[in-house]
Amino acid sequence: MSEGRPGALVLGSDFRGLAAVRALGRKGIPSFVVCNDPRSAWYSRYSVGRERWAGKLHGDDFRDYLLELADRRGLRGWVLYALQDETVETVAENAGVLGDVYRLTTPGWDSARRALDKHLMNELADLVGIPYPKTWYPKGAQDLTWLNLTYPVLVKPTMSTWLQHSMRRKALWAHDFAELRESYRTLAALVPPEEIVVQEAIAGDGHTQVSAAVFCRDGEVLGGMTARRTRQYPIDLGLSSCYVEAMPVPGLIELASSLVEELGLSGVAEVEFKQDERDGRYKLLDINVRLWGWHGLCVPCGMDFTSLLYQQAMGQDVKPAGPVYGWRWRRMLTDLPAALQEMRAGITTPWGYLASFARGRTVPSVFAADDPLPGVADIAVAVRRASKRTLNRRCRAATGHAPLLPDRSG
């Protein structure tokens, strides 16, 4: 596959991967998809090749596989896109050897780790003077008794990837001390106790959740856009956004820029904030140094981050244009159940939800007239997963035992 200009090796086949494959394919750049659970991008007409890896998308075995794959499938010199935190970790930790084979879009481990690890991210925020939710770092369960908390609080690992895979949650709630101990005990069974943090929960729904998406080089932001992550699923601690509105948020790019500069980042970053109604300030939640769930929204806004990464990896001089606001992005598969949760919670009404379809122009997460098969596959995968969860619940009811936790493969 090495004839002509280099293509892209995309690690991950969910709707994030699909948006990347389509953005490149529509510009004539071929993509090769690697995943361990085929989803929508696997079936895209813009994917010229695909291969299923049997293990986790993480670790030394996966690194060695990527090195072997380059020679076996003629992918040397292709641009490598890591789209999940665990693949970012593997690529960043092995940037030296992988960078000899591929053109990387992932920062080195020193920068990536400070973005991925919540403890290090908070230290970074302190360094540049950006507020974040009040956070405690107990060394063990015995330390929980001295925490001066106002409930509810969140209990989360410093790196949430494995919790998302095992429990489909980014964090666990604690509404009182008894629940705090139980949530801590649950997490301590999954990650080392020193990697667990307790954090205040900032009130507010999706209308207070905003992001700055930026493209940068050597710590300098070259262009960016902002958006409101209006709805997520589940609505309390969602795994990902399901309805995002591209709109200007004054001052947010500047906040993100200070973090990017301190990290010395090149490539892309999505910096997530939540506005605290108590003081009106934006509090830092996350830094993603990879393409994020709703990056497909950015293409019609004039900020095609996938293509910008490709150009940068190819050594081209990249000058992003300014954003065009007014577009919306919706992942219908999760947006409808999220809206139902909001209705039950009194956050929205049926008419209010229907009105969201009339505002602005909408980019679907998966469905596209020129590439219809991924939409069909997305529904089929959702049905399969829902059936598996139903079976697990029935097994628990019948045996009294919880099913085995999913592995950490993503």
Side-chain angles (χ1 to χ4, degrees):
M1 293 189 183
S2 58
E3 297 181 3
R5 63 173 167 171
L9 176 60
V10 177
L11 307 182
S13 67
D14 64 2
F15 57 92
R16 285 173 294 185
L18 177 63
V21 167
R22 283 174 172 166
L24 295 168
R26 288 164 180 161
K27 293 182 180 295
I29 301 168
S31 294
F32 190 103
V33 175
V34 165
C35 68
N36 56 7
D37 183 15
R39 300 181 68 179
S40 52
W42 185 271
Y43 304 95
S44 174
R45 63 184 287 256
Y46 294 109
S47 173
V48 299
R50 54 196 62 82
E51 193 162 297
R52 184 169 185 173
W53 166 245
K56 303 171 185 177
L57 300 180
H58 177 266
D60 293 346
D61 288 344
F62 186 57
R63 174 204 60 201
D64 294 342
Y65 163 74
L66 293 176
L67 294 171
E68 182 271 337
L69 179 70
D71 288 326
R72 177 165 51 83
R73 301 301 294 264
L75 306 182
R76 277 187 171 265
W78 280 40
V79 178
L80 179 62
Y81 290 83
L83 300 184
Q84 299 165 331
D85 286 345
E86 62 266 40
T87 58
V88 167
E89 183 177 340
T90 296
V91 173
E93 286 183 321
N94 297 280
V97 293
L98 290 173
D100 289 337
V101 176
Y102 299 101
R103 304 171 196 264
L104 304 185
T105 62
T106 301
W109 181 234
D110 287 344
S111 295
R113 185 175 178 228
R114 294 174 76 189
L116 290 169
D117 187 299
K118 296 296 185 295
H119 197 162
L120 297 180
M121 184 193 73
N122 290 345
E123 291 180 351
L124 172 67
D126 283 331
L127 192 62
V128 299
I130 291 179
Y132 55 89
K134 186 180 293 186
T135 307
W136 296 265
Y137 307 95
K139 292 184 172 61
Q142 70 280 358
D143 290 348
L144 298 179
T145 56
W146 56 258
L147 300 183
N148 184 20
L149 305 177
T150 299
Y151 293 97
V153 295
L154 303 173
V155 187
K156 59 172 67 174
T158 55
M159 298 179 69
S160 64
T161 302
W162 309 129
L163 181 63
Q164 292 181 47
H165 292 329
S166 62
M167 300 184 69
R168 297 187 62 79
R169 306 287 288 179
K170 285 185 176 181
L172 301 178
W173 282 103
H175 294 85
D176 53 37
F177 183 71
E179 192 173 6
L180 173 65
R181 287 189 301 182
E182 179 61 23
S183 294
Y184 188 91
R185 184 195 65 79
T186 299
L187 283 192
L190 298 173
V191 299
E194 62 271 18
E195 296 180 11
I196 301 174
V197 300
V198 178
Q199 191 172 79
E200 69 171 336
I202 297 177
D205 59 23
H207 289 81
T208 64
Q209 298 177 171
V210 292
S211 286
V214 298
F215 182 77
C216 45
R217 180 185 61 221
D218 298 327
E220 178 188 2
V221 170
L222 304 179
M225 61 175 285
T226 54
R228 183 173 69 189
R229 295 176 292 112
T230 309
R231 197 157 35 247
Q232 61 182 3
Y233 179 78
I235 62 172
D236 57 349
L237 293 172
L239 287 172
S240 62
S241 300
C242 54
Y243 180 59
V244 181
E245 302 176 88
M247 60 176 60
V249 183
L252 212 64
I253 295 290
E254 289 74 16
L255 289 177
S257 296
S258 62
L259 295 163
V260 166
E261 180 179 3
E262 182 61 33
L263 289 172
L265 284 180
S266 291
V268 299
E270 185 227 5
V271 188
E272 300 180 0
F273 300 87
K274 188 165 187 176
Q275 189 173 33
D276 193 333
E277 61 184 14
R278 296 170 296 183
D279 57 17
R281 304 179 74 188
Y282 292 110
K283 306 292 178 68
L284 176 65
L285 298 182
D286 278 303
I287 305 174
N288 291 312
V289 290
R290 51 161 173 77
L291 291 171
W292 46 97
W294 52 271
H295 74 92
L297 168 66
C298 306
V299 177
C301 294
M303 299 294 298
D304 184 350
F305 288 101
T306 307
S307 298
L308 291 172
L309 280 172
Y310 181 89
Q311 294 167 29
Q312 186 178 71
M314 294 296 294
Q316 300 175 18
D317 186 23
V318 184
K319 297 179 179 179
V324 176
Y325 290 114
W327 287 85
R328 312 287 192 266
W329 176 92
R330 192 188 305 268
R331 177 152 173 75
M332 195 67 194
L333 201 63
T334 52
D335 190 50
L336 180 57
L340 293 174
Q341 288 184 354
E342 287 191 343
M343 292 174 201
R344 287 195 292 268
I347 298 172
T348 191
T349 64
W351 295 116
Y353 179 62
L354 291 175
S356 71
F357 288 86
R359 294 196 297 265
R361 296 161 291 181
T362 300
V363 181
S365 67
V366 172
F367 292 95
D370 66 333
D371 192 24
L373 192 55
V376 178
D378 198 46
I379 294 174
V381 170
V383 170
R384 174 173 59 83
R385 290 189 166 194
S387 299
K388 184 176 181 179
R389 288 194 293 270
T390 299
L391 179 61
N392 283 341
R393 286 195 295 268
R394 290 177 177 174
C395 288
R396 183 190 306 220
T399 65
H401 298 288
L404 293 176
L405 292 175
D407 64 24
R408 299 177 173 182
S409 62

